[in-house]
Amino acid sequence: MTDHHPFHAGSMVDVPKRLMQQINELERLFVVDTEKLRQITSHFVSELERGLRENGATIPMNPTWVMAFPTGDETGTYLALDMGGTNLRVCEIDLPPGKGEFDITQSKFRMPEELKTGNAEELWEYIADCVKQFVEHHHEGQKLTQMHLGFTFSYPATQDYIDHAVLQRWTKGFDIDGVEGKDVVPMFEAALARRGLPIKVTALINDTTGTLIASAYTDPATKIGCIFGTGCNAAYMERCGAIPKLAHMKLDPDTPMAINCEYGAFDSEHRILPRTPYDIIIDRDSPRPNQQAFEKMVAGLYLGEIFRLVLVGLHEQADVGIFPGQDITKLQQPYSLDASFLSLIEEDHYETLSDTANLFLTKLGLRPTAAELELARRLAELIGTRAARLSACGVAAICKKSGMTACHVGADGSVFEKYPHFQQRGAQALREIFAWPDRLKEDPVVMHTSEDGSGVGAAVIAALTLQRVRRGLTVGVKKWEDMK
């Protein structure tokens, strides 16, 4: 079953034939049927396995050196820093006695656009200044003793240790020279030291690993953490014995190891995903063509751009020519529409689509006809539905690969939380992939809104790291002497 029904009455009644043909063509391009979902999932499983076997595979399957699920009994006070694409968040998290409890104090700082393409020193200086401002505000007049910080650094990185990370490549619009291929922890710790802050980066994590651990801290049924936001990713707990590329370390095969999949890169060879001409343009014109193929079809950063490219294409197509005689200058601006534009269209419950008409007028200076509004509505549904259905393939692949028949999935990110019907569409796709019997009262694999991965998750991982070092388990910790 695919999502063919528009969500409001009156639709498609008065759509002229030429536009109806275009809508049918868009459906042909964007609808992903059950069979295709299963083929994608099957290829996904083999790519996850390849990532565990080989260094340099398309899906990196990065070991994170998070080597236990939390019990919910972790305690202590920790700092957490989340370096996202738009904001920098600094938190202090107290884990009091009591299962899965936490208290959080936090401040957000804007990530200035010019820093994203500036130099490395400016970046770390700015971040250290934000941390200093936060700590001084919350500990005014106090003498600081050493504080342990969990650093959420959500960019593809290689970690031989939990307290070190070599950036593989920038994503999310960052392109700062002198960081790729280097360990980011000493750079950041040096900037902290210059400010006299006694702060140790105890764990550097990815937001997805944080989401997994934070969700498991409050809900032990959680086995997978996912992000569906600006980017897309998942993390889950693997057995060390099932990670051939770590065989040389002779770890106990039954020891758990959280794997940060970085599966936004899935199918960058373009073997299985049903790319449209618009997806091909996005990839070709992106800063890094032939990378992050999966992410470019499902992540929030790209959904508005796919929508925009389709509309520009239909305006330029002689036999269709939507918005005739109107100035489409604003629509021609790349990345001028984000996923929230599509969300607002899908949330428009008026039969006349008056909210959508208003959106086109205020944001793009366009006055679509009733039929053009219907086309825009259907297009938003198609793009949003495809993203949710493809997203489910990654979750299903992890379940199949690990032999998990039932689990909770902690999911975070703006698309998962805010995009209309995303969760229901993802759940429907999982039902199709797994062909669960109708008699089941609830789905065996359920996606829930996660706990705060980049804050609470980072703090819990810092706590888990200190715990294991103090027990003498120092594998995967570089400066363990500083944590005793």
Side-chain angles (χ1 to χ4, degrees), residues 129-175:
D129 279 338
C130 294
V131 174
K132 183 171 194 248
Q133 198 179 319
F134 175 86
V135 169
E136 285 178 349
H137 178 69
H138 292 288
H139 294 270
E140 209 174 335
Q142 300 171 16
K143 176 153 176 36
L144 289 178
T145 53
Q146 190 182 40
M147 300 186 79
H148 291 278
L149 179 137
F151 182 9
T152 302
F153 183 77
S154 302
Y155 305 87
T158 311
Q159 285 188 276
D160 295 326
Y161 309 94
I162 196 162
D163 52 346
H164 122 131
V166 173
L167 177 68
Q168 291 166 341
R169 62 181 182 278
W170 283 116
T171 54
K172 299 180 201 173
F174 278 87
D175 208 357

Side-chain angles (χ1 to χ4, degrees), residues 141 347 363:
E347 276 166 354
K363 180 95 180 159

